[in-house]
Amino acid sequence: MKGWQFVETNEPLELVEKENPKAEAGKVVIDLKVAGLCHSDVGVLRDPGWKALLGELPIIMGHEVAGVISEVGEGVTDYQVGDKVAVCPTGPSKTAPGYAYDGGFGTKVLAPAEDLVKIPEGVSFALAAAGTDAGMTSYHATFTKGGVKEGMTVGMIGIGGLGQIALEAAVAKGATVYAIDKNPNARKLAEDLGAAGVYEDAKEIEQFEPEVIIDFAGFDVTTREALEAIRFQGKVVLVGMGKLETTLNVTSLITKQATLVGSNGGTKQDIEDIYELFASGKVNPKITEITFDEIPEGIQLLEDNKVTGRLVANMEK
């Protein structure tokens, strides 16, 4: 097998050949079809603080994995050779591909069976890979943490890779969504995805008395304005980490008896639920594809903010 290996912070990924992994008890070997690339991959390469999250180095990166099972280990009964599967990076095993063990930037992955999610008919490998991170994280924030349901009025701040999936999913489930973004292109995208209205600042949607506002940006002022715009006893879900410190108007928080919760990652169930929406055609995020050989260049494109939608590497291109 081949793979793009992380050696050290601020050093280029290294293309290596390794022995093919062999199935072990409780694990399966996956032949990679598509691997997703993520802004956190930029963090791993550029910020030494990320090394604390990695296992034994060097390691093949890539935490968004989708492929076909080629070998099944002892004790695995729920999956068989030929199954199309993805790996939940925050699954029951508490280990993640590309962090704890060799991941999706390789042609094969040995993964715990307990972390697998079957890919349903109608969901491409590219969508499946994107769904393991962006799909899971946005769904978890919106529906699991945010409790968004049909008929609710919702605000969403930051219509990027996560926000656009969340917006489309919330509209598909019957919520009325008002989108907030400084970028005019993002506001246009929000309109196209079914937003009831688009604005530059969260305070502009106070008039609609949103029950939930999800902050996918997290740029200090965005969270503060969300609390000021939320209705009485409303909820603000903070996902974005644009700034790692924020100053809140506690008057809004207290007098409105508002709830502020953080959301990170998600569960296998969140992935299964977003796959259902993908399969129905009601949620169809934009995907940009590159080849396996272009993975290092793809990470650079992410660092330079030159990617539209979610970026994936198609191993068969």
Side-chain angles (χ1 to χ4, degrees):
M1 63 165 285
K2 294 181 178 180
W4 289 102
Q5 188 169 261
F6 172 87
V7 179
E8 184 57 72
T9 309
N10 288 317
E11 291 188 13
L13 291 178
E14 185 179 87
L15 182 60
V16 296
E17 289 192 10
K18 304 177 75 167
E19 288 290 325
N20 289 337
K22 303 295 182 186
E24 301 172 0
K27 297 182 179 181
V28 304
V29 176
I30 301 170
D31 289 353
L32 258 288
K33 297 297 182 181
V34 173
L37 285 75
C38 177
H39 275 282
S40 61
D41 296 323
V42 177
V44 170
L45 280 170
R46 298 289 177 250
D47 184 347
W50 284 82
K51 286 175 65 177
L53 301 177
L54 302 177
E56 185 177 341
L57 298 180
I59 191 168
I60 294 173
M61 289 177 58
H63 58 275
E64 301 180 18
V65 172
V68 177
I69 294 176
S70 58
E71 195 177 339
V72 173
E74 182 183 352
V76 177
T77 57
D78 293 338
Y79 302 91
Q80 58 189 5
V81 172
D83 282 350
K84 298 177 180 179
V85 295
V87 180
C88 176
T90 53
S93 77
K94 307 299 183 185
T95 61
Y99 287 89
Y101 58 90
D102 284 339
F105 295 171
T107 52
K108 289 179 180 285
V109 168
L110 176 65
E114 61 184 327
D115 292 345
L116 301 182
V117 179
K118 288 185 178 178
I119 302 173
E121 289 299 319
V123 176
S124 68
F125 286 114
L127 277 177
T132 61
D133 190 350
M136 172 186 68
T137 302
S138 57
Y139 191 97
H140 188 76
T142 305
F143 302 103
T144 306
K145 289 284 192 177
V148 171
K149 294 180 175 61
E150 181 179 1
M152 291 179 69
T153 300
V154 180
M156 288 191 181
I157 305 172
I159 312 303
L162 297 179
Q164 64 174 297
I165 296 176
L167 193 161
E168 201 169 11
V171 170
K173 285 181 173 280
T176 299
V177 182
Y178 295 94
I180 298 98
D181 203 296
K182 294 289 186 185
N183 187 321
N185 293 328
R187 294 198 299 276
K188 175 63 168 62
L189 174 61
E191 283 185 342
D192 294 342
L193 294 176
V198 296
Y199 301 89
E200 291 190 40
D201 303 298
K203 58 191 175 186
E204 295 180 86
I205 69 168
E206 184 177 5
Q207 59 186 308
F208 305 114
E209 298 187 337
E211 296 158 78
V212 180
I213 298 178
I214 304 160
D215 184 1
F216 289 107
F219 276 101
D220 179 37
V221 65
T222 56
T223 310
R224 184 164 59 251
E225 288 184 349
L227 280 167
E228 291 169 3
I230 201 72
R231 66 179 290 179
F232 179 69
Q233 294 186 338
K235 181 187 291 184
V236 174
V237 182
L238 178 56
V239 186
M241 299 172 70
K243 289 193 176 180
L244 299 185
E245 292 186 357
T246 186
T247 303
L248 303 177
N249 180 346
V250 295
T251 302
S252 300
L253 182 65
I254 295 168
T255 60
K256 291 185 176 183
Q257 298 181 33
T259 302
L260 173 62
V261 299
S263 185
N264 177 43
T267 65
K268 286 175 57 174
Q269 186 62 53
D270 293 319
I271 296 177
E272 291 172 1
D273 290 342
I274 198 66
Y275 281 178
E276 276 189 31
L277 288 171
F278 287 167
S280 72
K282 294 177 180 178
V283 178
N284 189 27
K286 182 172 178 55
I287 300 287
T288 298
E289 291 194 10
I290 58 174
T291 67
F292 171 80
D293 292 334
E294 293 172 328
I295 285 175
E297 290 88 345
I299 294 176
Q300 186 62 52
L301 288 173
L302 284 173
E303 187 171 11
D304 295 339
N305 291 313
K306 292 182 178 178
V307 176
T308 301
R310 294 301 290 186
L311 183 64
V312 302
N314 187 330
M315 303 299 184
E316 299 182 317
K317 284 187 72 172

